[in-house]
Amino acid sequence: MTAAPAPLPAARTAAVVWVNGARQPAGAAHLSALDRGFTLADGVFETVRVYGGTAFRLDAHLDRLARAAAALEIALPADVRATALAAVAEGPASASLRITLSRGPGAGGAAPPPVAGPPTVVVAVAPLAPFPPSLYEHGLAAHVASGRRNERAMTAGLKTLSYTDATAALVEARRAGADEAIFLDTRDRCSEAASSNLFAWDGATLLTPPLSCGALPGITRGAVLALAAARGVPADERPFGLDELVAAREAFLTSSLRELAPLVRVDGRALGDGRPGPVTRELAAAYRDLVRAECAA
Ligand SMILES: Cc1ncc(COP(=O)(O)O)c(C=O)c1O
């Protein structure tokens, strides 16, 4: 008899799960053992934050999902938006919504089957516990990953199921006593963090690596660039190296769940005075206002 798997921490337990358009008990077995998402990471996904029962920028996430699915020639079922809305409506008010799309079950081998079978779509809504206030008050320390983000990879810029590189970088970061990992690209330019985009404030301009450095086109990144423009904060999407990052007065990481997380230390060196700075705070507050306006949360 095999031991039952350990339960997930309460805050991460998926409360509502839909598989291929049908609501399922959250704890049930849902997928084929031959699903290519499981065996080959042959699929794409989105993580969306739900505020007060509304998924923030759901359509932008669905557009990104559709673009990634199209690039890999995985069919995206037409009802995915309706399913996501149904799952969110049944889920907790403060939640994370994950939409996972794989090519579905298949025989071994990387080549996609000559005739596509039905894809697998899992929509899961899990309660989201608040992040610790210290994250925003004190900020994060990052380790620069020893490996590189390959900006010329076939899948650069796509949110595929393959996060092993990010996990390996976070394992390395933890070993180095850091909270986060920063990836450089193959030309040693800053790319992004393990699963967040990177911003740096050099005292005059808000810098963020362009997508050509291998960064994901983050939904939060786009919102922050628009907020900066609206507030007259000069911003530039241009390549910069580690020297510029460690010389920055402030830096922060952006992602849907964590929003704007101050970055205060890189490889043991303090950025600015080693505390979250005023530009980061201003943009983080503006982002919360934006969320409140769009989600009434
Ligand atoms: C590699 C990577 N970069 C950036 C982001 C941030 O993207 P978003 O703001 O759309 O959540 C993510 C999100 O998970 C990510 O996985």
Side-chain angles (χ1 to χ4, degrees), residues 10 17 21 43 59 91 112 145 152 156 162 167 175-176 185 192 198 259 282 285 289:
V17 174
D59 287 331
R152 300 179 66 190
S162 179
T167 305
R175 238 186 260 136
D185 72 6
E192 60 178 347
L198 170 67
E259 305 176 333
E282 178 188 335
D289 289 345

Side-chain angles (χ1 to χ4, degrees), residues 181-280:
I182 300 286
F183 278 108
L184 306 180
D185 72 6
T186 66
R187 294 166 61 188
D188 285 348
R189 304 169 304 182
C190 292
S191 177
E192 60 178 347
S195 57
S196 321
N197 289 109
L198 170 67
F199 285 82
W201 171 250
D202 69 2
T205 306
L206 186 65
L207 302 174
T208 194
L211 303 183
S212 57
C213 292
L216 190 82
I219 308 301
T220 322
R221 174 185 183 274
V224 167
L225 286 172
L227 287 171
R231 305 177 80 79
V233 176
D236 199 0
E237 294 179 61
R238 70 153 170 84
F240 57 92
L242 202 48
D243 51 341
E244 273 194 83
L245 177 60
V246 295
R249 302 266 185 90
E250 302 180 31
F252 58 87
L253 306 179
T254 62
S255 62
S256 294
L257 294 188
R258 215 164 47 178
E259 305 176 333
L260 281 72
L263 176 66
V264 297
R265 204 166 268 280
V266 174
D267 274 355
R269 293 156 76 179
L271 306 187
D273 65 3
R275 285 182 302 200
V279 176
T280 304

Side-chain angles (χ1 to χ4, degrees), residues 23 27 30 39 50 57 60 63 71 91 99 125 129 131 133 153 156 163 184 198 209 242 254-255 260:
R23 173 96 195 251
H30 302 296
T39 58
V50 177
R57 303 249 160 137
D63 285 349
I99 305 169
V125 179
F131 289 96
Y163 266 61
L184 306 180
L198 170 67
L242 202 48
T254 62
S255 62
L260 281 72

